[in-house]
Amino acid sequence: MEHDAVQHAVQSGSKIQDLAWLVLFLPLLGSVMAWFITRRDRVLTTVFTLGTVILSFILSVTLFAVFGAASAECTPFQFLHIGDLKVDIGLHLDALSTLMLLVVTGVASLVMIFSTSYMHDDASYSRFFCTLGLFVFSMLGIVLANNFVMMFVFWELVGVSSYLLIGFWFERPAAGDAAKKAFLSNRLGDFGFILGILMVWSAVGSVNFQEIQASLIKNPAAMGVWAGLAGLLVFMGAMGKSAQFPLHVWLPDAMEGPTPVSALIHAATMVAAGVYMLCRVFFIYTVPAGWPPALSFLGDLSAATVVAWIGGITALLAALTAVQQNDIKRILAYSTLSQLGYMVMAVGLGASTGNPSASMFHLFTHAFFKAMLFLGAGSVIHACHHEQDIWRMGGLWKKMPVTFWTFAIGTAALAGLPPFSGFYSKDEILATALEANPILCGLAVLVACLTTFYMCRLVLVAFFGTTRTESAEHAHESPRSMTIPLMFLAVPSVVAGWFPVGEFIAGHFGVRSHEGVGRVVAQEGIGPMLTMILGGIDHALFAPFNHNALAAFLGLFGVLLGGSAAWALYWNQARDPLPGLFTNLSRAMRKKFYFDEIYDSVFIPIHDTVACIMAWFDRWIIDGLGVRGIHGTIEIVGRALRLVQTGNLQTYAFLFAAGVAFLAFIALQ
Amino acid sequence: MNYMELLGALAPEAIVVLTALVALAVDLLVLRQAPQNARQVVAVSITAVGILAAIIALSVAAPSPPWMDGLLINHSTTAFLKQTLLVLALVAGILSIQSRFTQHTGEYVTLLLLSTVGMMLLVSSDNLLLMFVALELTSLPLYVLTAFNKESPSSSEASLKYFLIGSLSAACLLFGISLLYGLSGGITWTQLATTLRAGSEPIVYLALILTLIGFAFKVAAAPFHLWAPDVYQGAPTPVAAFIASGSKIASFYMFARIFMAALPGTAGSAAWSGATPGWVPLVAALAVVSMILGNVAAIAQRSVKRLLAYSAIGHAGYALLAILSNTEQGMGSLLYYVVTYAVTAMGAFAVVNVIERDVQAPNGESLTDFAGLSRRSPLLSLCLLVFVLSLAGIPPLAGFFGKFYIFIATAQSGTSQGLIWLVMLAIGTSAISLYYYLQILKQVYVVESVGQPTPVQLRPAESACIVAMACTVLILGCAPNWLINRFSPNSTEVRRAGVITKPSTTLELAAEIHPRITAPLGTATGLVQKRPQFETTTANAQ
């Protein structure tokens, strides 16, 4: 790999990479201190938790500036050595992880600043900040982990802290149920993930990412018949965390949590963990496909193709659903689902070219503008006295100018309008798709069109038109601590696309697809990159058109189509005209294509029936017919005798003997 | 053979027996008229002193070679397990202070300690006879303890069921042991290991099945689990906690050793394609049934103690995977798993005990009694969260690494991933299990309590125990290597305990473990035909 060339330069230097330990543990330290020492004092709690996260951010910037695309291992601690299995607690720094560190700590800092006023009146203010700190710690653990097992540990910790945050307002039953749903769906994904880890480990003999990669480069067929299955099982983990079809049902419900949580966890970081993990273990998707004999009919189908299609399906379904949602946070939630589908699709498609950089690029830009959109929605909800239905708002643009303008920037970025950041990252995905799979490219253009449509619908209905309710009438701009993070996030939402992040990541994967800034970064560091960017910003601005003009124009075409349709339908409307036009389709969209209903009517009854049968079976044995209903009224000896006589114990003995027969059957078979 | 030396080797057990007698005498002779609470405190204090003395005696004792062909073995693993058992007994004693289920404090503590002595002997014998005696010494006091709540009919009902089914299983075990003796002509591990082979005689399978049943009953593996839900629910909670923890450790350790070390030649294989008969497929069958039944039936339970009983059945299924892997790693993973499980289960029962005392319902606690616990006692709720998430196998708690280690050991043991189907089933059922564990947490954290939430009354000693156990679960999860190294397969001592890597090298290893391997050769009068190469291998080993 190319990055080996730069590695020695760093390793010979000082042990600055050990700063990563601080980046990781500072948020945890802040949380623990705040919980045990200063829980009663809001100001000190804020100082501890927010302060440590900001410090972590500063250190991340330092690490990014020093390392750039170089890679380094932090001194590992021996954690678990059993037989052939060697698990260390070790951190790995490279282009992927340093970039992700910036995203996580940066967005987390801004979201926490926003929360200081959003959560100001909440009785459990301290609990909120401590849990948020715990979450940041867990997320950073996923980013920095240098092996599968450590990643899995933090993966589950993220699940737990997200469970605590979604269910933060546990007084609402919906919040408790949503938290449980999220945890269980994630767990279902993790079932596959840990099985996949075991499979990779037993095929390759290591859980360390670098070692697995090295042995797969030496012998791409090392995974043999397990390649396809292991890839799919590991992907199941990503399906849970990144809410991919058919495990996507938890994400919209997770909006029951406080809005800053939605911004941080369910838009920028946790849900991106799945995509990040796929990029981190990308090397297991580039090996030749292989299936065990039982699945040999799958032939040459590679795991990556399945990944791409699942991503594409998720993107389309979620975009369609978003078109007919009325809750401002749910629209954004479905849009997140859809964009995650985009990223997953890009990873799957990247396998054929060996370059999943487009997905990381989109993850990077999406984190900023989606977090901003959520915080903007939070600001709107805050101003309208916890009103979330967009049809009960209207005309807000004059009352809340900062929120409106930032929200508009976010919308433009999400829709993919140049020169906003989303355009550049989406364009890379479209370009990758155009090369690898034209059908999925067409699907992606359709999704881009739908995205513009529902986002414009949201803006036109909520911010323009007439003021439709009392609460919207009295809305006013949110306080500084809420608008400042919005403005801070607006900057990267605009400019993040101008940086050659895609090429920077592509360098990490050893791809030099086209000459440009990324190459300079990968070889010479960050300093020259800044010079180049400032010198060649016009080059960066028009890069998509130079690189693959067809993809860029397809994307723009989708945006214009969606935008004009939304304008025609929703400009100055008091009611949604779409149900009148497409009755059945719009109902299906409103009902989220009946996924919840299907799951409720299929899986939960099966689950409950099996449990009841099992319990009944045991109850029948234990309670028996004669014992039921007797509670301490009869003398004990009489009871005991009666027990023996009514056949209950005979039943026990009979089943005991049946057990013996069962074992004898197994033994003599 | 010097009796003083033997007494030295048995010093910890002797101390515990003495403590039991002292506690009984003090309670019956001195404190007859004293208030109940004082008697309990005195009895538990005496227990604490005795147990501390025994723990110290165990930690200073130098490892000694096996006594009398393995009648008594002492090495660092058994010492550690005995210390764990003693600590668990002490916690069970502390939990029963201030409980109102009995007036007979002296007898209660004595029986608890005698059962502990049984467990201590159980972990330190390589001999069929002492194994059986120790197993009975463990069980009989537990039957009586289960019935100790004389005011509750369900307590005596549970005890009767426990006793009768226990007798049935003991009879099976004894029959199995006698067949093993008849087949091999020996009662020590080395004698058994050198003579018994699979496929030679059908009666070998009968002996295996009967022996297996005895242990399957003790560890509550389905379908021999029938007593467990009744006993866990009916017995006084500290007793249930001790049955769920201490008894599990001792039984599982003996279970694993008798099959891995004494019967390696009859192992067979449980691979998905190409299974061969032996005890491994039998254990696999028990594991499959236990994992499915335990985890699924738990979902429908309304009593937390019953729920924990079914969860224990499921956990027994996972532990059985470690046994059937039949490797050194399997043994290490089993010990890590049962020790961490015992601490977690003890902790969960301790919390239940507090709640039960708090609600004072005539029919025991139910899931709804935990409603709103987070507002009544944040500390207790946090500890319960740790225990429940550890049982569910969420990292970084000990329960996760226990399961993970077992999965690793099992996946690795079969040739070409033949046992991966068991691992898949285990991971699947543990994913299901989260559902019912979340039911408990939902009550604790989400549901409102009925009426005004009042703080839960906690005694200092009790809360110290609970917090210490929660911390142990967290620490063992964050630094599993410390405990795992104690059971490290590389240490020669575990080897001496009889864990054998590959069945094919049994004879060499048996010879290495025991130089006097020729003795059973000369005296073997069993039904099994000796194979020609058998003598040559042994001769070479010599």
Side-chain angles (χ1 to χ4, degrees):
Chain A
M1 295 296 295
E2 292 282 337
H3 66 253
D4 286 351
V6 267
Q7 196 164 359
H8 72 274
V10 176
Q11 279 182 347
S12 58
S14 64
K15 285 285 200 176
I16 192 166
Q17 63 261 39
D18 286 340
L19 275 182
W21 290 111
L22 271 181
V23 174
L24 176 62
F25 279 104
L26 272 175
L28 178 72
L29 186 76
S31 275
V32 169
M33 277 175 34
W35 182 254
F36 284 106
I37 304 170
T38 63
R39 195 172 7 154
R40 311 249 172 262
D41 188 320
R42 287 178 177 217
V43 179
L44 279 178
T45 304
T46 317
V47 169
F48 273 130
T49 50
L50 179 59
T52 47
V53 173
I54 291 179
L55 212 57
S56 203
F57 172 66
I58 295 170
L59 288 174
S60 303
V61 175
T62 319
L63 284 175
F64 184 76
V66 173
F67 283 93
S71 87
E73 291 273 334
C74 293
T75 329
F77 291 109
Q78 180 176 326
F79 180 61
L80 194 66
H81 280 200
I82 34 180
D84 301 342
L85 178 76
K86 294 200 171 18
V87 181
D88 291 326
I89 301 185
L91 308 184
H92 183 73
L93 287 174
D94 59 11
L96 272 182
S97 52
T98 44
L99 184 73
M100 197 69 186
L101 280 186
L102 282 186
V103 174
V104 173
T105 52
V107 177
S109 309
L110 290 173
V111 166
M112 283 171 101
I113 294 170
F114 181 89
S115 309
T116 51
S117 55
Y118 190 85
M119 301 299 288
H120 192 263
D121 303 328
D122 202 286
S124 308
Y125 182 89
S126 298
R127 181 161 60 93
F128 180 80
F129 273 83
C130 293
T131 326
L132 222 48
L134 178 70
F135 169 80
V136 175
F137 163 68
S138 326
M139 189 64 210
L140 291 174
I142 293 185
V143 173
L144 287 167
N146 77 343
N147 65 69
F148 262 126
V149 177
M150 185 180 161
M151 183 183 251
F152 187 79
V153 168
F154 283 99
W155 193 261
E156 291 284 305
L157 265 181
V158 162
V160 173
S161 43
S162 144
Y163 173 75
L164 295 173
L165 284 169
I166 300 172
F168 181 76
W169 282 322
F170 49 65
E171 300 86 15
R172 304 181 186 174
D177 287 344
K180 201 164 104 176
K181 195 173 181 181
F183 204 11
L184 287 174
S185 322
N186 268 301
R187 225 4 222 211
L188 205 60
D190 297 344
F191 156 66
F193 190 23
I194 186 114
L195 207 55
I197 293 175
L198 282 176
M199 225 168 244
V200 172
W201 171 71
S202 51
V204 184
S206 173
V207 289
N208 185 294
F209 295 134
Q210 303 308 110
E211 287 171 20
I212 299 174
Q213 188 173 18
S215 56
L216 284 181
I217 287 170
K218 207 182 296 166
N219 174 17
M223 307 249 288
V225 295
W226 300 104
L229 211 53
L232 285 189
L233 286 169
V234 169
F235 176 55
M236 265 184 82
M239 274 164 76
K241 275 272 168 317
S242 288
Q244 294 299 295
F245 168 84
L247 295 180
H248 64 280
V249 286
W250 67 268
L251 185 58
D253 286 8
M255 297 301 136
E256 288 294 338
T259 304
V261 169
S262 311
L264 176 62
I265 298 189
H266 307 116
T269 54
M270 167 177 155
V271 290
V275 178
Y276 174 79
M277 185 267 278
L278 289 180
C279 291
R280 170 60 74 208
V281 302
F282 187 65
F283 42 81
I284 67 170
Y285 292 98
T286 48
V287 297
W291 300 94
L295 296 171
S296 54
F297 61 88
L298 290 169
D300 281 343
L301 180 73
S302 68
T305 315
V306 180
V307 171
W309 275 100
I310 297 259
I313 292 170
T314 311
L316 182 63
L317 268 181
L320 282 171
T321 312
V323 166
Q324 279 294 287
Q325 298 300 310
N326 293 328
D327 181 320
I328 184 168
K329 280 177 74 181
R330 282 195 179 246
I331 299 176
L332 293 177
Y334 278 103
S335 125
T336 308
L337 270 181
S338 171
Q339 299 303 308
L340 287 167
Y342 246 86
M343 298 174 208
V344 168
M345 186 182 81
V347 178
L349 292 173
S352 57
T353 54
N355 179 13
S357 60
S359 68
M360 276 306 289
F361 188 14
H362 198 52
L363 188 161
F364 179 72
T365 56
H366 177 259
F368 297 115
F369 62 72
K370 189 49 73 66
M372 184 178 73
L373 284 172
F374 265 108
L375 292 185
S379 167
V380 169
I381 294 168
H382 189 78
C384 295
H385 304 284
H386 292 269
E387 179 57 65
Q388 303 197 6
D389 187 340
I390 53 170
W391 293 99
R392 295 172 60 79
M393 297 171 184
L396 292 175
W397 74 278
K398 262 188 285 185
K399 300 191 174 71
M400 314 177 67
V402 180
T403 307
F404 166 69
W405 282 111
T406 51
F407 205 92
I409 291 173
T411 305
L414 176 56
L417 200 68
F420 299 97
S421 61
F423 169 70
Y424 297 91
S425 52
K426 204 176 269 189
D427 174 72
E428 277 212 23
I429 295 184
L430 289 177
T432 314
L434 201 60
E435 281 170 38
N437 188 336
I439 306 174
L440 277 175
C441 179
L443 193 146
V445 172
L446 177 62
V447 172
C449 170
L450 285 168
T451 308
T452 319
F453 179 77
Y454 64 70
M455 282 313 292
C456 290
R457 168 179 179 262
L458 168 57
V459 172
L460 290 174
V461 172
F463 288 96
F464 292 98
T466 50
T467 311
R468 284 181 289 272
T469 55
E470 189 80 356
S471 49
E473 190 68 48
H474 296 127
H476 52 80
E477 187 58 279
S478 302
R480 281 276 177 77
S481 57
M482 288 168 84
T483 50
I484 287 176
L486 283 176
M487 293 188 269
F488 263 111
L489 279 168
V491 177
S493 299
V494 179
V495 304
W498 305 350
F499 296 90
V501 180
E503 290 168 56
F504 176 66
I505 296 292
H508 168 73
F509 287 99
V511 177
R512 298 279 175 274
S513 50
H514 31 273
E515 288 296 315
V517 199
R519 186 185 181 88
V520 179
V521 183
Q523 290 178 348
E524 292 167 39
I526 302 299
M529 177 187 89
L530 287 177
T531 341
M532 257 197 89
I533 287 178
L534 295 176
I537 209 154
D538 53 330
H539 168 77
L541 276 176
F542 297 103
F545 299 97
N546 298 332
H547 167 219
N548 191 333
L550 180 57
F553 283 119
L554 277 176
L556 273 181
F557 168 71
V559 171
L560 290 179
L561 192 67
S564 43
W567 181 272
L569 280 169
Y570 289 102
W571 174 246
N572 225 347
Q573 291 282 338
R575 280 177 52 250
D576 196 341
L578 210 56
L581 294 173
F582 308 98
T583 322
N584 289 329
L585 183 64
S586 107
R587 190 188 304 130
M589 288 170 170
R590 248 196 328 274
K591 293 280 183 190
K592 310 147 201 165
F593 292 99
Y594 303 100
F595 271 104
D596 284 341
E597 285 79 2
I598 292 168
Y599 286 175
D600 280 356
S601 62
V602 179
F603 293 116
I604 293 177
I606 291 177
H607 195 250
D608 287 352
T609 318
V610 174
C612 282
I613 290 171
M614 287 280 187
W616 177 83
F617 181 72
D618 257 46
R619 272 272 160 192
W620 171 73
I621 295 155
I622 287 153
D623 273 9
L625 293 169
V627 191
R628 184 160 298 167
I630 301 169
H631 278 295
T633 45
I634 306 169
E635 204 184 337
I636 290 163
V637 180
R639 269 178 59 79
L641 279 175
R642 186 167 172 180
L643 250 176
V644 181
Q645 282 168 353
T646 48
N648 196 44
L649 259 171
Q650 274 97 325
T651 321
Y652 267 68
F654 169 74
L655 280 151
F656 198 96
V660 179
F662 166 68
L663 284 185
F665 173 74
I666 302 265
L668 299 174
Q669 203 184 15
Chain B
M1 181 73 220
N2 180 338
Y3 282 101
M4 279 316 290
E5 279 178 46
L6 184 61
L7 191 65
L10 278 174
E13 284 84 353
I15 293 172
V16 179
V17 172
L18 267 180
T19 314
L21 295 177
V22 169
L24 186 66
V26 169
D27 189 58
L28 290 185
L29 301 176
V30 184
L31 296 170
R32 202 69 215 159
Q33 306 303 325
Q36 176 70 7
N37 204 18
R39 288 169 59 193
Q40 282 173 335
V41 171
V42 170
V44 173
S45 309
I46 295 172
T47 312
V49 172
I51 281 178
L52 278 181
I55 289 177
I56 292 167
L58 280 166
S59 48
V60 296
S64 58
W67 288 84
M68 298 177 70
D69 293 348
L71 182 66
L72 190 68
I73 49 164
N74 277 317
H75 49 70
S76 64
T77 305
T78 62
F80 178 76
L81 290 176
K82 285 179 188 179
Q83 287 166 337
T84 315
L85 290 169
L86 287 167
V87 171
L88 290 170
L90 180 60
V91 175
I94 291 172
L95 292 184
S96 31
I97 298 178
Q98 221 183 52
S99 54
R100 279 172 288 272
F101 61 79
T102 182
Q103 303 287 313
H104 303 275
T105 312
E107 290 92 324
Y108 175 81
V109 169
T110 308
L111 287 170
L112 195 65
L113 289 173
L114 286 181
S115 181
T116 313
V117 172
M119 293 170 193
M120 290 167 76
L121 288 175
L122 195 58
V123 297
S124 61
S125 178
D126 275 358
N127 181 300
L128 285 179
L129 280 183
L130 188 63
M131 173 192 89
F132 186 75
V133 172
L135 209 54
E136 288 302 290
L137 181 57
T138 308
S139 303
L140 287 170
L142 289 180
Y143 301 148
V144 184
L145 284 171
T146 304
F148 242 66
N149 190 353
K150 295 229 176 72
E151 283 166 15
S152 154
S154 66
S155 170
S156 34
E157 180 189 323
S159 169
L160 191 69
K161 286 175 180 171
Y162 192 18
F163 172 60
L164 288 175
I165 299 296
S167 312
L168 195 58
S169 85
C172 286
L173 179 62
L174 200 54
F175 195 13
I177 290 175
S178 61
L179 283 177
L180 288 178
Y181 170 69
L183 288 163
S184 67
I187 52 168
T188 63
W189 281 191
T190 41
Q191 287 166 327
L192 289 170
T194 44
T195 43
L196 288 178
R197 286 289 167 279
S200 50
E201 283 278 339
I203 202 145
V204 172
Y205 297 119
L206 190 58
L208 287 180
I209 291 174
L210 291 170
T211 315
L212 190 62
I213 287 167
F215 285 102
F217 165 82
K218 281 305 291 178
V219 301
F224 304 100
H225 68 286
L226 300 160
W227 58 275
D230 272 3
V231 169
Y232 280 34
Q233 195 180 19
T237 307
V239 175
F242 195 52
I243 294 175
S245 55
S247 156
K248 279 282 170 69
I249 294 184
S251 311
F252 262 118
Y253 186 52
M254 179 49 98
F255 191 167
R257 268 187 323 156
I258 187 170
F259 282 99
M260 286 187 187
L263 304 163
T266 59
S269 151
W272 182 250
S273 51
T276 52
W279 59 263
V280 169
L282 295 177
V283 175
L286 291 179
V288 168
V289 179
S290 304
M291 287 189 293
I292 295 176
L293 187 128
N295 285 315
V296 177
I299 292 171
Q301 301 308 319
R302 288 289 161 267
S303 149
V304 175
K305 279 158 85 178
R306 246 186 136 71
L307 190 150
L308 286 174
Y310 281 102
S311 125
I313 295 165
H315 281 276
Y318 303 127
L320 288 175
L321 288 191
I323 295 181
L324 67 87
S325 71
N326 195 19
T327 55
E328 289 180 355
Q329 270 204 15
M331 186 60 145
S333 67
L334 176 79
L335 291 179
Y336 180 82
Y337 190 79
V338 291
V339 167
T340 52
Y341 172 76
V343 176
T344 319
M346 182 59 99
F349 271 105
V351 177
V352 174
N353 189 42
V354 175
I355 299 300
E356 213 172 29
R357 196 178 57 219
D358 191 65
V359 296
Q360 295 185 353
N363 301 327
E365 47 66 49
S366 76
L367 202 51
T368 45
D369 292 329
F370 286 75
L373 185 65
S374 62
R375 267 139 285 169
R376 302 178 56 204
S377 172
L379 180 72
L380 207 57
S381 316
L382 192 66
C383 291
L384 188 62
L385 178 87
V386 170
F387 297 134
V388 167
L389 289 184
S390 172
L391 287 175
I394 302 288
L397 301 169
F400 167 72
F401 285 101
K403 283 201 182 96
F404 185 71
Y405 192 4
I406 286 184
F407 297 158
I408 289 278
T410 313
Q412 216 177 15
S413 66
T415 45
S416 70
Q417 276 118 25
L419 294 178
I420 201 97
W421 68 279
L422 281 167
V423 178
M424 285 170 82
L425 183 74
I427 298 178
T429 52
S430 85
I432 295 176
S433 73
L434 185 67
Y435 184 80
Y436 59 81
Y437 291 122
L438 284 187
Q439 299 281 0
I440 303 181
L441 293 185
K442 185 182 173 187
Q443 291 290 332
V444 172
Y445 281 99
V446 178
V447 179
E448 291 281 338
S449 57
V450 186
Q452 192 61 29
T454 47
V456 178
Q457 297 297 319
L458 264 174
R459 281 174 297 108
E462 196 174 49
S463 46
C465 279
I466 294 175
V467 170
M469 284 186 288
C471 291
T472 312
V473 170
L474 187 63
I475 291 168
L476 286 182
C478 290
N481 239 7
W482 176 80
L483 187 55
I484 283 170
N485 283 342
R486 289 185 161 261
F487 310 130
S488 162
N490 301 327
S491 97
T492 51
E493 285 170 335
V494 177
R495 271 182 138 184
R496 208 185 303 139
V499 187
I500 283 158
T501 338
K502 296 187 204 87
S504 59
T505 59
T506 306
L507 293 178
E508 289 92 322
L509 259 172
E512 182 195 317
I513 295 162
H514 210 281
R516 281 177 290 161
I517 198 108
T518 41
L521 275 181
T523 57
T525 55
L527 302 164
V528 182
Q529 292 278 321
K530 279 175 272 172
R531 292 179 187 169
Q533 78 268 26
F534 170 62
E535 266 115 350
T536 51
T537 324
T538 322
N540 290 344
Q542 275 192 307

